[in-house]
């Protein structure tokens, strides 16, 4: 057979055309599916018909039964037996109510009257003493009677729950309110054995079992009791808006609360059933918004009773996964109203805090016998879920301010207020295991019969860590400030946390004398006293009482001087590598995601609290009195955080605890800034994390730019750690990274077509020597970022003629240095000098009133940016407070000592003042002189009418420091910053601290190393290193004054400062070129020397040196040349 026809078959009788076997099978399969679909469609149609027929018939029967039931009810219950009531009254009622109302989830008006009549008659019947007529007596009858009674009463309880659920207290009719009240009374009567009047000793056991079964059913999810009670409570108004004593709604509320608590009070209910009721309570009632505020005050003690709270705590601990899953399902199906913006976990958390705390006699405390261990653990469970909900809300841009959600006069944040109180923390800490804290006895305890026996400090730390996070996400105004204020100033709390952390992070050194540890030895290597050198004593007797109090708070004693001396002797044998290794904290070598949960919470709480305390801790307390930690402990803290932040960023893989990292970075940066201002840590500490594993310079620069180069906020990625914690790189390497940034920027500009040739798109500038600032401002200020392009400068001399020479870079460098010299001079009026000995520059506030003053400041920012961009050093340094603004950092109180030491001294004196501050007659104002006039400036709204008192003196001190350090120079700082960042990216500046920025700008000391220059000099034109004139030159240069050497360097390179990293980085290389000078023989014999002056080519950093024969001549000619303020004209 032909190969193509091998798999063909013939469909005889249908067609002569042949098809393949696979096609035939597909066709048969399709036909089979069509027939199967048709059968299913027909079956579905029949099913729908049966459903509708059944619904129609059932409804018709229910309506007929309702009419017959009304006629039966008209005869009354009085003479009827209990069996007749069950068969004729209860059974049809349950049937038609179930089909006409329950399944429709809406009670009809006609059914309201029927339900009211049935409940009223049943309530009258179950109070009868005659067991033959009492409906409840069926519960003690035969097995069949007990089964029927149990079924019918469960249906009645479900119906009563439904009535309560659909009851809306704000819009319900009087009939619905009546039937709701009757429904709750009926459930109470059915589940209370005291209401069963027919009970005798013979049937008490059966009756007790029947009540127990009903109570168990009521506590189950099937009954719907707790769901109905929760929904009802959520409709209640504030108690102040209702009149409970004259309103049936109070009776309904009291009955609902009674039913909610009945399963807890039924002592015959076993533990499993009790857990079921507690789970329903926690699922439907505990998360009701404003639960405690909606319940009348008379009923709250019942909700707060330990028989209710304790089972709920235990249930949440055992079944929290199931409860939280229920919360998630309900959260997903709820409406997006304002009150629902808080998840159910959030409401449960706030309600528990309100339930376990009570206010009496203007004093708030925990309720009696509350189990604080369970309380802390339950709050931790709910807070963790609440945080997840808040993060999801933030991701969906639906997060709102917790201050906006109110109930009457209350805000949601008010519900969490107890956790911001010191008594709350003291109660928890006072009962923590004694071994967890050395200061437990020193903490103030509270009254009441609370206990936290066996509680762990880690649980308390987790509790407050969650609170800090929740407050930060909910309160956009003040964030976690209320919690941090309380934690920071609670006696001994920080020391407790650090003691536990120290045992976890430094396990080998947590016991015994700290002097034996390697870290302690390294930290004591300070024979010159650099690290522990005490700052100047700013205050005298006024601070003694304050410091004594702080020492008592922190329970700290002064370090033993004998111990320090002993350690210092031992450390002398340590080498540099040993010192760096000693700061390598091994437990912190992993990313924060790999740290245990307990350690993570301890770290977050400690970092957040201590960073907050550092804001108000002045240098006297930090360095002299060493509170709350000794300097040795400060070094340990710094080394721990340094390792944690570095390794977390380097090995993050996108899995970082944002709150932990933000707190750790903030605390680390504040310690580093304080160390930069007054050193207490050895440099090896800051370099320790990255001494081996840090990325190369070029790779680090590329990683940073590849991340988010313009995002200079606190980030947590590999590419951002060099600007978040740049101190892990030595300063020299950071300078190279900075230059790498600029190099990459130039490459990108070249690729964009901005640098298409050596002379294209250059900026031509003609300036007069006597008007260099004005001419530069007029021609360059409007260029913005285009100032990155090269500048070609032509000078006009004092006589009005153009100076000789072409600008190949030298004149432009001279132009930038000269314009900076004139504009930054205090005589020019744009900048002034601080009153400190360093005489650092800071913007003159009077510049605001000058013509174009703000624009001139902005222009000077561009000049500084251009200098940094081109690697040109200037002769000026700025004040630390001003540089902090340029680096995007806030200046705090202690920065004031670098700006105005006298004012700082007075503020510190005021901070520790023992007397009545009101006697000083201070208010929240500051007086400034401007243009010969005095101006009174308020430090806060209404400041002139606000006196400084003991209560607000801290606010005054920090308001004054904030004004001097931040607000006063803010407009000028912003202007300078705008100009600077036109050329230098803000993220590049974050590589440096304030002093390093000045060093980057000015190069440090006003002198240079002659040997370094000599080792990096080349010779041309016939000179060699051994030439006579060359030897004379180095001899003369070594003998010049530092100022004269700097003038020579400027004469040759147009900059008076040496390159920041040494002369090997000077481009082009420093060159001495031979200028041959013919001189008659008789002149040489007569002792005459070359008369020609030396000249320079600043474009090529070349000194053109004639062949002098004598050192005196060379020195005289050289000094004349460098002091003539001219360049090419000398040639």
């Amino acid at each position: 057979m032909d190969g193509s026809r091998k798999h063909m078959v013939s469909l005889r009788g249908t067609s002569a055309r042949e098809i393949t076997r696979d096609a035939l099978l597909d066709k048969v399969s399709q036909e089979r599916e069509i027939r199967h679909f048709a059968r299913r469609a027909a079956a579905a149609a029949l099913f729908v018909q049966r459903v509708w027929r059944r619904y129609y018939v059932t409804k018709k029967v229910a309506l007929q039964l309702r009419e017959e039931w009304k006629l039966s009810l008209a005869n009354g219950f009085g003479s009827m037996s209990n069996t007749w009531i069950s068969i004729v009254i209860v059974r049809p009622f349950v049937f038609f109510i179930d089909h006409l109302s329950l399944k429709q989830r809406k009670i009809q008006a006609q059914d309201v009257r029927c339900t009211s009549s049935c409940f009223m008659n049943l309530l009258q019947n179950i109070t009868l003493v005659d067991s033959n007529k009492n409906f409840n007596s069926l519960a003690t009858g035969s097995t069949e009677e007990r089964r029927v009674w149990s079924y019918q009463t469960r249906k009645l309880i479900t119906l009563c729950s439904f009535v309560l659920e659909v009851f809306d207290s704000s819009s319900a009719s009087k009939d619905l309110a009546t039937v709701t009240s009757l429904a709750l009374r009926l459930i109470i009567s059915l589940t209370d054995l005291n209401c069963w009047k027919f009970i005798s000793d013979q049937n008490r056991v059966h009756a007790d079992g029947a009540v127990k079964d009903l109570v168990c059913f009521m506590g189950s999810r099937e009954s719907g009791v707790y769901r109905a009670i929760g929904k009802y409570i959520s409709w209640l108004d504030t108690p102040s808006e209702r009149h409970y004593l004259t309103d049936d709604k109070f009776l309904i509320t009291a009955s609902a609360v009674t039913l909610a608590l009945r399963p807890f009070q039924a002592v015959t209910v076993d533990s499993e059933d009790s857990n079921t009721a507690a789970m329903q309570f926690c699922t439907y009632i505990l998360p009701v918004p404003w639960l405690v505020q909606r319940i009348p005050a008379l009923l709250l003690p019942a909700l707060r009773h330990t028989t209710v709270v304790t089972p709920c705590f235990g249930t949440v601990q055992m079944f929290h996964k199931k409860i939280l899953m229920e919360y998630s399902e309900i959260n997903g199906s709820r409406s997006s109203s304002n009150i629902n913006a808080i998840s159910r976990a959030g409401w449960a958390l706030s309600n528990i805090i309100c339930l376990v705390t009570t206010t009496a006699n203007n004093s708030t405390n925990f309720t009696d016998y509350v189990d604080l261990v369970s309380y802390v653990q339950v709050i931790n469970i709910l807070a963790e879920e609440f945080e997840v909900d808040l993060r999801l809300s933030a991701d969906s841009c639906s997060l709102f301010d917790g201050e906006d959600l109110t109930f009457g006069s209350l805000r949601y944040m008010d519900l969490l207020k107890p956790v911001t109180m010191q008594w709350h923390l003291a109660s928890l800490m006072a009962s923590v295991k004694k071994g967890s804290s050395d200061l437990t006895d020193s903490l103030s305890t509270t009254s009441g019969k609370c206990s936290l026996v066996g509680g762990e400090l880690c649980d308390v730390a987790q509790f407050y860590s969650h609170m800090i996070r929740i407050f930060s996400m909910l309160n956009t105004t003040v964030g976690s400030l209320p919690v941090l204020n309380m934690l920071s100033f609670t006696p001994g709390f920080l020391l407790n946390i650090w003691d536990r952390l120290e045992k976890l992070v430094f396990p080998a050194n947590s016991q015994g004398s700290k002097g034996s540890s390697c870290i302690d030895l390294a930290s004591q290597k300070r024979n010159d006293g650099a690290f522990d050198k005490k700052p100047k004593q700013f205050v005298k007797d006024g601070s003694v009482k304050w410091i004594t109090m702080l020492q008592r708070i922190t329970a700290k004693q002064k370090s033993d001087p004998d111990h320090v001396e002993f350690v210092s002797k031992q450390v002398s044998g340590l080498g540099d590598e040993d010192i760096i290794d000693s700061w390598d904290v091994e437990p912190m070598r992993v990313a924060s995601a790999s740290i245990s949960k307990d350690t993570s919470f301890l770290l977050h709480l400690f970092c957040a609290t201590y960073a907050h305390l550092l804001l108000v801790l002045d240098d006297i307390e930090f360095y002299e009195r060493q509170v709350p930690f000794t300097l040795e402990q400060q070094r340990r803290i710094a080394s721990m955080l340094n390792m944690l932040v570095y390794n977390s960023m380097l090995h993050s893989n996108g899995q970082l605890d944002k709150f932990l990292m933000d707190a750790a970075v903030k605390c680390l940066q504040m310690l580093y800034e304080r160390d930069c201002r007054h050193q207490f840590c050895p440099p090896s500490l800051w370099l320790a994390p990255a001494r081996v594993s840090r990325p190369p310079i070029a790779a680090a620069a590329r990683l940073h730019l590849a991340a988010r180069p313009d995002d200079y906020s606190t980030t947590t990625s590999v590419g951002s750690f060099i600007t978040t914690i740049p101190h892990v790189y030595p300063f020299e390497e950071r300078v190279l990274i900075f230059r790498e940034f600029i190099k990459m920027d130039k490459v990108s500009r070249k690729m964009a077509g901005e640098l298409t040739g050596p002379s294209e798109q250059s900026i031509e500038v003609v300036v007069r020597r006597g008007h260099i600032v004005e001419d530069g401002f007029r021609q360059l200020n409007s260029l913005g970022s285009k100032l990155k392009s090269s500048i070609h400068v032509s000078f006009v001399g004092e006589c009005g003629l153009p100076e000789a020479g072409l600008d190949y870079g030298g004149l432009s460098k001279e132009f930038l240095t000269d314009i900076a010299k004139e504009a930054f001079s205090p005589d020019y009026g744009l900048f002034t000098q601080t009153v400190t000995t360093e005489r650092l520059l800071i913007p003159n506030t009077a510049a605001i009133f000058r013509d174009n003053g703000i624009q001139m400041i902005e222009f000077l920012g561009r000049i500084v940016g251009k200098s940094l961009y081109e690697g040109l050093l200037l002769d000026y340094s700025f004040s630390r407070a001003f540089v902090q603004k340029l680096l995007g950092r806030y200046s705090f109180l202690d920065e004031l000592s670098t700006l105005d030491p006298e004012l700082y001294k007075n503020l510190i004196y005021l901070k520790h003042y023992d007397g009545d501050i009101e006697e000083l007659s201070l208010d929240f104002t500051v007086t400034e002189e401007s243009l010969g006039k005095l101006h009174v400036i308020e430090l806060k709204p209404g400041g002139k009418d606000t006196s400084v008192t003991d209560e607000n003196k801290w606010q005054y001190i920090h308001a004054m420091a904030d004004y001097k350090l931040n607000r006063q120079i803010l407009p000028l700082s912003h202007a300078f910053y705008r100009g600077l960042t036109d050329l230098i990216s803000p993220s590049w500046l974050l590589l440096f601290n304030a002093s390093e920025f000045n060093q980057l700008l000015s190069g440090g000391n006003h002198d240079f190393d002659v040997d370094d220059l000599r080792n990096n000099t080349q010779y041309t034109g016939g000179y060699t290193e051994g030439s006579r004139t060359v030897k004379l030159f180095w001899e003369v240069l070594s003998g010049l004054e530092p100022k004269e050497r700097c003038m020579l360097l400027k004469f040759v390179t147009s900059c008076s400062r040496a390159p920041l990293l040494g002369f090997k980085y000077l481009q082009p290389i420093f060159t001495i070129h031979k200028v041959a000078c013919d001189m008659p023989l008789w002149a040489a014999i007569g002792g005459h020397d070359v008369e020609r002056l030396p000249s320079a080519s600043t474009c090529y950093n070349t000194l053109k040196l004639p062949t002098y024969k004598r050192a005196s001549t060379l020195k005289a000619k050289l000094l004349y040349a460098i002091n003539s303020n001219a360049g090419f004209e000398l040639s």
Side-chain angles (χ1 to χ4, degrees):
M1 181 182 289
D2 185 22
S4 62
R5 298 171 59 85
K6 184 176 180 180
H7 299 289
M8 307 292 285
V9 296
S10 176
L11 300 178
R12 296 179 180 178
T14 59
S15 173
R17 183 181 177 183
E18 295 180 343
I19 64 174
T20 63
R21 184 185 301 274
D22 293 339
L24 175 61
L25 293 176
D26 290 341
K27 184 176 181 180
V28 172
S29 177
Q30 291 176 3
E31 291 176 350
R32 185 184 295 113
E33 290 181 1
I34 293 173
R35 291 193 299 271
H36 182 62
F37 177 77
R39 287 196 297 270
R40 285 188 298 170
L46 291 176
F47 176 77
V48 172
Q49 291 176 4
R50 286 196 296 270
V51 170
W52 277 105
R53 188 180 299 114
R54 180 180 178 181
Y55 171 77
Y56 173 76
V57 172
T58 302
K59 185 175 181 180
K60 183 177 179 181
V61 171
L63 292 172
Q64 183 178 354
L65 280 177
R66 185 171 64 182
E67 298 303 323
E68 294 176 358
W69 181 86
K70 290 180 180 179
L71 295 176
S72 300
L73 190 64
N75 297 325
F77 281 17
S79 59
M80 304 303 175
S81 66
N82 50 15
T83 305
W84 185 89
I85 294 174
S86 173
I87 297 174
V88 178
I89 300 300
V90 178
R91 183 161 61 182
F93 172 76
V94 168
F95 179 85
F96 73 74
I97 284 293
D98 183 42
H99 289 84
L100 296 180
S101 293
L102 260 65
K103 291 184 177 180
Q104 305 298 326
R105 305 306 300 171
K106 182 179 181 182
I107 187 168
Q108 306 295 329
Q110 194 171 0
D111 290 337
V112 170
R113 293 188 290 271
C114 293
T115 304
S116 179
S117 300
C118 181
F119 288 171
M120 189 176 299
N121 283 279
L122 279 176
L123 284 171
Q124 293 175 356
N125 176 264
I126 60 180
T127 59
L128 298 176
V129 179
D130 189 354
S131 60
N132 295 323
K133 295 182 179 181
N134 195 310
F135 172 70
N136 283 344
S137 64
L138 294 176
T140 61
S142 63
T143 302
E144 180 62 21
E145 287 177 338
R146 291 200 300 270
R147 185 188 64 80
V148 171
W149 180 87
S150 176
Y151 172 80
Q152 291 179 348
T153 50
R154 290 183 179 217
K155 282 291 186 179
L156 288 173
I157 289 177
T158 304
L159 172 61
C160 294
S161 302
F162 169 71
V163 172
L164 179 62
E165 186 175 358
V166 298
F167 177 77
D168 187 347
S169 61
S170 61
S171 59
S173 62
K174 185 176 181 180
D175 291 340
L176 187 57
T178 300
V179 75
T180 303
S181 177
L182 292 173
L184 296 182
R185 286 175 55 196
L186 178 61
I187 299 180
I188 292 174
S189 299
L190 290 174
T191 56
D192 187 359
L193 200 61
N194 295 325
C195 296
W196 294 25
K197 303 298 183 181
F198 67 92
I199 296 297
S200 63
D201 294 337
Q202 292 78 11
N203 57 15
R204 182 172 296 277
V205 175
H206 289 296
D208 186 67
V211 170
K212 173 185 174 181
D213 290 340
L214 274 187
V215 172
C216 292
F217 173 75
M218 189 175 69
S220 66
R221 184 173 183 175
E222 181 184 357
S223 69
V225 170
Y226 283 98
R227 182 178 63 248
I229 294 174
K231 192 170 183 179
Y232 167 76
I233 295 176
S234 66
W235 282 336
L236 295 178
D237 300 322
T238 58
S240 60
E241 296 175 0
R242 294 177 295 161
H243 305 283
Y244 285 112
L245 298 179
T246 59
D247 197 341
D248 291 339
K249 295 176 185 177
F250 174 76
L251 298 178
I252 297 175
T253 304
S255 300
V257 172
T258 301
L259 290 177
L261 304 184
R262 175 142 294 178
F264 297 96
Q265 299 165 346
V267 294
T268 58
V269 180
D270 56 33
S271 59
E272 181 179 353
D273 295 324
S274 178
N275 287 335
T276 302
M279 183 176 295
Q280 294 300 304
F281 185 92
C282 294
T283 303
Y284 294 107
I285 296 181
L286 200 57
V288 171
W290 314 101
L291 172 66
V292 176
Q293 289 68 37
R294 296 178 191 273
I295 299 297
L298 293 175
L299 305 178
L300 283 179
L303 281 177
R304 288 180 166 137
H305 198 270
T306 183
T307 57
V308 178
V309 174
T310 301
C312 289
F313 284 173
T315 301
V316 172
Q317 290 175 275
M318 288 188 294
F319 305 105
H320 63 272
K321 292 184 178 179
K322 186 175 181 180
I323 293 175
L324 295 179
M325 188 175 297
E326 294 276 358
Y327 286 175
S328 299
E329 293 176 358
I330 298 174
N331 288 338
S333 61
R334 69 189 180 182
S335 60
S336 57
S337 62
N338 185 31
I339 199 170
N340 288 328
I342 298 292
S343 67
R344 295 182 72 83
W347 285 115
L349 180 146
S350 62
N351 288 332
I352 288 177
I353 293 174
C354 293
L355 283 174
V356 301
T357 57
T358 181
T359 302
N361 299 324
N362 296 324
S363 176
T364 306
N365 207 332
F366 285 110
T367 56
D368 291 344
Y369 304 105
V370 64
D371 182 2
L372 294 184
V373 174
S374 299
Y375 163 69
V376 170
Q377 294 172 352
V378 167
I379 291 296
N380 288 340
I381 292 171
L382 296 174
E384 189 170 355
E385 179 69 13
F386 190 27
E387 283 182 41
V388 174
D389 296 334
L390 290 175
R391 283 195 292 269
L392 292 176
S393 298
D395 294 339
S396 61
C397 300
S398 59
L399 188 64
F400 74 108
D401 193 339
E403 297 287 335
D404 296 335
L405 184 56
T406 59
F407 185 73
S409 60
L410 277 176
R411 301 166 298 178
Y412 178 79
M413 301 307 298
D414 293 333
L415 304 183
L416 307 181
K417 189 175 181 180
V419 304
T420 67
M421 298 298 180
Q422 204 167 60
W423 64 262
H424 186 279
L425 175 61
S427 296
L428 301 184
M429 293 297 295
S431 301
V432 169
K433 280 185 177 180
K434 190 173 183 181
S436 300
S437 172
D438 295 330
L439 298 179
T440 301
D441 295 336
S442 67
L443 295 173
S444 58
T445 57
T446 57
S447 59
K449 303 173 183 178
C450 316
S451 66
L452 188 57
V453 179
E456 290 292 339
L457 181 63
C458 291
D459 291 332
V460 178
Q462 182 179 353
F463 179 98
Y464 282 102
S465 176
H466 283 308
M467 290 300 109
I468 292 173
R469 299 163 192 248
I470 290 172
F471 271 74
S472 298
M473 289 187 281
L474 279 181
N475 197 335
T476 58
T477 305
V478 297
S480 56
L481 190 62
V483 182
L484 293 175
N485 279 338
M486 180 271 299
L487 295 176
S488 299
F489 298 104
T490 295
F493 178 72
L494 263 177
L495 282 178
N496 276 296
I497 299 298
W498 172 245
D499 180 65
R500 178 60 61 89
L501 267 179
E502 193 173 27
K503 292 175 182 178
L504 294 172
V505 179
F506 305 98
N509 305 318
S510 60
Q511 302 295 334
S513 174
K514 292 183 175 60
S516 61
S517 71
C518 184
I519 290 182
D520 295 324
L521 293 176
S523 65
Q524 298 292 343
K525 187 177 183 182
R526 52 185 186 274
N527 296 332
D528 57 354
F531 304 145
D532 283 345
K533 189 176 183 181
K534 294 183 180 180
K536 182 179 178 181
Q537 177 75 28
F538 291 111
V539 298
K540 296 182 180 180
D541 297 337
S543 65
V544 173
K545 184 176 180 180
W546 172 256
I547 299 303
T548 303
M549 187 269 288
L550 276 179
Q551 286 184 322
R552 180 181 59 81
I553 285 178
T554 57
K556 191 198 74 64
Q557 299 296 330
K558 294 280 289 182
S559 301
D560 185 1
D562 295 334
H563 168 72
V564 175
E565 182 180 358
F566 171 74
V567 173
S568 299
K569 291 180 180 178
Q570 293 187 41
V571 78
S572 59
L574 289 178
D576 292 340
E577 284 298 320
D578 296 330
I579 293 175
I580 295 179
D581 287 338
S582 68
W583 300 114
D584 190 357
V585 185
E586 184 175 357
M588 298 289 105
R589 290 178 184 171
V590 296
S592 61
S594 303
I595 298 175
S596 67
K597 187 176 181 181
D598 287 343
T599 306
S600 177
F601 284 119
L602 282 168
L603 280 169
H604 172 248
L605 181 63
F606 176 81
C607 293
T609 305
Y610 191 41
H612 185 71
L613 182 61
L614 284 171
L615 297 177
V616 297
L617 206 64
D618 60 52
D619 285 347
I620 296 176
E621 296 158 349
F622 189 92
Y623 292 101
E624 286 196 32
R625 303 298 179 179
Q626 299 185 25
V627 289
F629 301 112
T630 65
L631 292 182
E632 174 56 38
Q633 290 174 317
Q634 302 285 7
R635 286 186 278 271
R636 281 173 168 261
I637 294 169
S639 64
M640 176 190 70
L641 297 181
N642 207 30
M643 292 293 295
L644 169 68
V645 173
Y646 175 79
N647 287 289
S648 296
M649 289 188 169
L650 196 63
H651 310 293
S652 64
N653 296 325
Q655 298 179 353
L656 288 175
D657 185 337
K658 179 182 180 299
F659 287 99
L660 169 59
M661 289 306 301
D662 286 350
V665 168
K666 182 179 179 180
C667 189
L668 177 63
Q669 288 178 340
M670 296 189 71
L671 287 172
Y672 178 69
E673 288 291 332
R674 196 175 286 260
D675 182 69
C676 292
R677 191 174 66 250
H678 180 75
Q679 188 177 15
F680 66 93
C681 292
S684 58
L685 183 150
W686 305 112
L687 301 175
R691 64 185 181 90
V692 176
S693 60
R694 65 176 180 265
I697 293 172
R702 287 194 296 270
L703 278 173
H704 173 73
L705 294 181
R708 293 178 65 184
D710 293 327
D711 183 10
Y712 43 93
S713 60
T714 300
T715 55
T716 52
S717 64
V718 177
S720 64
F721 82 91
I722 60 173
T723 52
T724 303
I725 49 171
H727 54 256
V728 298
Y729 281 90
F731 173 68
E732 293 77 9
E733 294 188 20
R734 279 180 277 143
V735 174
L736 294 177
I737 292 175
F738 179 78
R739 302 311 307 173
E740 187 69 21
F741 284 154
I742 294 176
K743 179 181 177 181
M744 295 169 64
D745 184 71
K746 290 181 177 179
V747 171
S748 64
R749 290 176 56 230
K750 185 175 182 179
M751 294 177 63
E754 296 182 33
L755 300 176
T756 56
S759 60
E760 296 183 23
Q761 297 193 9
S762 61
I763 303 169
E764 299 291 340
V765 181
V766 179
V767 294
R768 296 166 293 173
R769 288 279 184 185
H771 301 82
I772 191 169
V773 177
E774 293 77 5
D775 290 348
F777 173 75
R778 177 172 46 82
Q779 299 178 63
L780 300 178
N781 185 53
S782 60
L783 296 178
S785 61
K786 294 181 181 179
L787 198 57
K788 291 180 179 180
S789 301
S790 60
I791 301 176
H792 285 185
V793 178
S794 298
F795 280 108
V796 176
E798 296 180 358
C799 59
L801 298 176
E803 294 183 0
L806 298 176
D807 185 10
Y808 290 101
L811 293 181
S812 60
K813 290 191 291 183
E814 182 181 355
F815 164 70
L816 292 175
T817 55
D818 287 349
I819 198 173
K821 178 180 180 180
E822 183 174 345
F824 287 130
S825 172
D827 296 335
Y828 197 79
L830 293 178
F831 277 77
T832 185
Q833 293 179 329
T834 61
V835 296
T836 58
T837 56
E838 294 86 356
R839 310 299 290 176
L840 301 175
L841 292 176
I842 192 169
N844 189 348
T845 54
I848 300 177
F849 304 101
R850 285 187 50 164
D851 292 338
N852 298 324
I854 296 293
Q855 292 82 354
M856 290 288 289
I857 294 289
E858 186 174 344
F859 170 64
L860 292 182
R862 294 191 180 95
I863 293 298
V864 171
K866 178 66 174 177
S867 301
L868 293 173
Y869 195 81
E870 301 296 343
L872 177 64
L873 299 179
L874 301 178
D875 290 334
Y876 301 97
S877 296
F878 297 110
S879 71
R880 181 181 178 86
F882 178 59
V883 176
Q884 289 286 80
K885 298 292 157 295
L886 305 182
L887 300 181
R889 297 166 188 162
Y890 190 83
S891 296
F892 297 99
L893 174 62
D894 288 313
E895 305 284 357
L896 190 59
S897 61
T898 64
L899 183 65
D900 191 340
E902 186 65 27
L903 177 60
Y904 175 74
K905 177 182 177 180
N906 293 336
L907 290 179
I908 293 298
Y909 174 79
L910 182 64
K911 178 180 178 180
H912 304 305
Y913 186 66
D914 294 332
D916 186 2
I917 294 184
E918 294 189 50
E919 296 177 354
L920 302 179
S921 301
L922 297 174
D923 56 24
F924 280 77
T925 62
V926 59
T927 304
E928 294 287 344
E929 182 179 358
S930 178
L931 302 179
K933 295 182 180 180
L934 295 179
H935 301 273
V936 177
I937 300 171
E938 292 186 330
L939 299 177
K940 69 175 186 177
K944 62 182 179 180
D945 299 322
T946 306
S947 300
V948 179
T949 63
D950 289 327
E951 289 74 20
N952 62 17
K953 68 175 182 180
W954 281 43
Q955 183 182 0
Y956 171 78
I957 292 170
H958 288 278
M960 178 65 77
D962 176 64
Y963 174 77
K964 287 291 185 179
L965 294 169
N966 302 294
R967 290 169 51 192
Q968 188 178 32
I969 61 172
L970 195 61
L972 301 174
S973 299
H974 282 175
F976 194 94
Y977 178 81
R978 287 194 301 270
L980 177 63
T981 54
D982 276 344
L983 290 89
I984 303 297
S985 172
S987 63
W988 303 353
L989 297 176
L990 296 181
L991 287 168
F992 310 101
N993 58 44
S995 60
E996 291 170 343
F997 176 85
N998 280 328
Q999 193 174 353
L1000 179 71
L1001 180 63
S1002 63
N1005 296 328
H1006 294 264
D1007 198 2
F1008 59 85
D1009 186 352
V1010 176
D1011 292 335
D1012 181 35
L1013 177 61
R1014 185 171 186 172
N1015 295 331
N1016 293 279
T1017 298
Q1018 68 177 3
Y1019 306 94
T1020 61
Y1023 276 148
T1024 64
E1025 189 174 1
S1027 299
R1028 174 183 174 86
T1029 303
V1030 171
K1031 291 181 178 180
L1032 291 176
F1033 171 78
W1034 293 118
E1035 179 184 341
V1036 169
L1037 184 60
S1038 299
L1040 293 178
E1041 295 293 330
K1043 181 179 179 181
E1044 295 172 335
R1045 281 197 291 267
C1046 291
M1047 293 176 64
L1048 171 66
L1049 189 61
K1050 182 176 182 179
F1051 177 74
V1052 180
T1053 67
S1054 76
C1055 180
S1056 63
R1057 303 294 180 93
L1060 197 58
L1061 303 179
F1063 283 100
K1064 68 178 179 179
Y1065 290 97
L1066 181 64
Q1067 293 296 330
I1069 189 171
F1070 190 88
T1071 303
I1072 299 179
H1073 181 76
K1074 181 178 181 180
V1075 179
C1077 299
D1078 296 331
M1079 187 172 57
L1081 180 60
W1082 62 268
I1085 296 175
H1088 294 282
D1089 205 344
V1090 176
E1091 294 294 332
R1092 182 168 181 171
L1093 291 171
S1095 60
S1097 177
T1098 55
C1099 305
Y1100 303 103
N1101 297 331
T1102 299
L1103 174 63
K1104 299 175 182 180
L1105 187 65
T1107 54
Y1108 299 111
K1109 305 300 181 182
R1110 297 183 179 86
S1112 57
T1113 305
L1114 190 151
K1115 181 177 181 180
K1117 298 296 184 182
L1118 200 60
L1119 290 177
Y1120 182 86
I1122 64 178
N1123 285 285
S1124 63
N1125 195 28
F1128 291 100
E1129 295 174 348
L1130 295 175
S1131 301

